[in-house]
């Protein structure tokens, strides 16, 4: 297993996995910042939780270089990323927001527009092990939003009127809905075709600690199924002076 030395704290609540992953990446690059501070500063959705683009905006405001690979077809059209088209992503996002009135879409769109204006890079590329290895070989951890429901193979979740202390959802295979989650990919084994996952969820279904190896196909499926919860993305956060290796972009990459 080729692995990065990344430590991750347990998430304080069931909706703070995103900031917990981001704080782990900050600490990996040598920044000493408290988890409470990151949680307070990262934007949250009204119903709890966050979006990868919120995490990206936080890192951009702190001076990091940020690239977000999206597979979220609820927000982005694949043709916007074709190399043979000169597409203004901000213009397209605004036009879509004026036509579609879904609140979650509007929240995500406003955040993506801020992300672009802050200098973030948006890309869409076929999800392969080579894409993951491209960054891990350069010592860059891969923060990803995915479907926890599929990754863990557990029941869907619903929001009760009176949830137990410290929780906002309960497992229910009939009333429940798919749940999103954030983890950090920090290693890979090319022979066993597994990736090392740093998971902020304490007592997760895979391991007693917060790092475990998972079959790459299962992780990729969980990432793509994250589209249900506006996840389905990879977030690459690194200092601007990070010079490990030489980045090679596939033909489908496009900076905007």
């Amino acid at each position: 297993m080729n692995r990065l030395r990344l430590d991750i704290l347990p998430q304080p609540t069931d909706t703070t996995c995103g900031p917990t992953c981001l704080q782990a990446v900050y600490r990996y690059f040598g920044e000493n910042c408290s988890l409470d501070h990151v949680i307070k500063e990262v934007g949250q959705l009204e119903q709890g939780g966050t979006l990868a683009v919120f995490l990206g905006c936080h890192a951009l405001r702190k001076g990091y270089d940020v690239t977000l690979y999206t597979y979220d077809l609820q927000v982005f059209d694949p043709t916007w990323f074709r190399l043979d088209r000169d597409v203004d992503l901000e213009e397209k996002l605004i036009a879509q927001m004026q036509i579609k009135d879904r609140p979650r879409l509007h929240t995500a769109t406003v955040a993506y527009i801020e992300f672009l204006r802050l200098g973030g890079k948006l890309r869409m590329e076929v999800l392969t092990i080579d894409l993951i290895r491209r960054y891990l070989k350069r010592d860059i951890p891969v923060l990803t939003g995915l479907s926890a429901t599929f990754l863990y193979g557990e029941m869907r979740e619903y929001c009760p009127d009176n949830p137990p202390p410290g929780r906002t959802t309960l497992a229910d295979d009939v009333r429940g809905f798919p749940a999103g989650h954030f983890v950090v990919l920090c290693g890979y084994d090319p022979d066993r075709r597994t990736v090392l996952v740093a998971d902020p969820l304490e007592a997760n279904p895979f391991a007693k600690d917060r790092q475990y190896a998972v079959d790459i196909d299962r992780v990729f499926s969980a990432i793509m199924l994250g589209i249900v919860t506006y996840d389905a993305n990879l977030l690459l956060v690194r200092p601007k002076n990070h010079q490990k290796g030489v980045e090679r972009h596939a033909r489908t990459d496009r900076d905007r």
Side-chain angles (χ1 to χ4, degrees):
M1 174 71 71
N2 300 290
R3 60 193 302 168
L4 308 183
R5 293 185 177 179
L6 181 142
D7 296 318
I8 194 165
L9 297 174
Q11 60 190 72
T13 69
D14 61 347
T15 61
T16 52
C17 52
T20 305
C21 288
L22 183 60
Q23 191 255 5
V25 173
Y26 288 157
R27 291 173 62 226
Y28 169 80
F29 285 117
E31 180 171 350
N32 186 18
C33 56
S34 73
L35 177 55
D36 288 342
H37 186 71
V38 176
I39 291 173
K40 289 178 181 178
E41 289 192 345
V42 170
Q44 291 191 349
L45 298 168
E46 183 177 347
Q47 62 273 38
T50 191
L51 297 173
V53 66
F54 290 176
L55 306 177
C57 287
H58 186 272
L60 286 165
R61 287 191 292 267
K62 289 174 68 66
Y64 284 82
D65 184 274
V66 183
T67 301
L68 193 153
Y69 286 84
T70 180
Y71 303 98
D72 189 356
L73 302 187
Q74 297 191 86
V75 179
F76 297 98
D77 190 277
T79 65
W80 296 353
F81 294 88
R82 281 172 45 180
L83 290 176
D84 61 348
R85 296 186 63 189
D86 185 17
V87 174
D88 186 318
L89 285 180
E90 183 176 332
E91 183 179 283
K92 287 289 188 180
L93 288 168
I94 292 173
Q96 177 178 247
M97 187 167 56
Q98 292 172 342
I99 295 173
K100 300 176 181 177
D101 60 358
R102 300 198 299 272
R104 185 79 169 250
L105 176 65
H106 281 218
T107 299
T109 299
V110 170
Y112 275 115
I113 291 172
E114 180 185 8
F115 179 85
L116 291 168
R117 292 177 178 176
L118 287 170
K121 294 178 282 290
L122 281 172
R123 296 182 180 145
M124 184 177 287
E125 178 182 329
V126 175
L127 182 59
T128 65
I129 184 59
D130 287 338
L131 174 59
I132 303 299
R133 289 168 61 182
R134 178 191 310 169
Y135 289 97
L136 294 181
K137 283 182 176 180
R138 298 178 60 218
D139 295 341
I140 299 172
V142 181
L143 199 165
T144 181
L146 44 69
S147 169
T149 304
F150 189 86
L151 178 67
Y152 299 144
E154 293 197 324
M155 291 183 186
R156 295 171 294 179
E157 300 175 358
Y158 82 105
C159 298
D161 293 333
N162 297 300
R167 292 193 57 83
T168 59
T169 63
L170 292 176
D172 192 300
D173 64 330
V174 175
R175 288 181 290 181
F177 295 90
H181 189 44
F182 286 100
V183 300
V184 183
L185 309 183
C186 56
Y188 67 94
D189 187 327
D191 296 324
R192 297 184 178 181
R193 285 184 55 80
T194 59
V195 290
L196 184 65
V197 176
D199 191 333
L201 181 64
E202 194 81 275
N204 64 74
F206 283 123
K208 293 182 180 180
D209 56 18
R210 292 182 296 280
Q211 289 199 6
Y212 50 82
V214 184
D215 181 84
I216 188 65
D217 293 329
R218 185 173 192 86
V219 173
F220 282 3
S221 295
I223 292 172
M224 299 306 287
L225 286 170
I227 189 174
V228 178
T229 50
Y230 284 79
D231 291 300
N233 44 57
L234 308 176
L235 187 68
L236 289 308
V237 174
R238 70 274 209 188
K240 290 186 181 295
N241 62 354
H242 188 78
Q243 298 295 328
K244 174 72 174 182
V246 178
E247 188 171 7
R248 297 185 297 275
H249 299 309
R251 292 183 66 255
T252 48
D253 281 355
R254 178 176 177 181
D255 291 4
R256 292 295 296 175

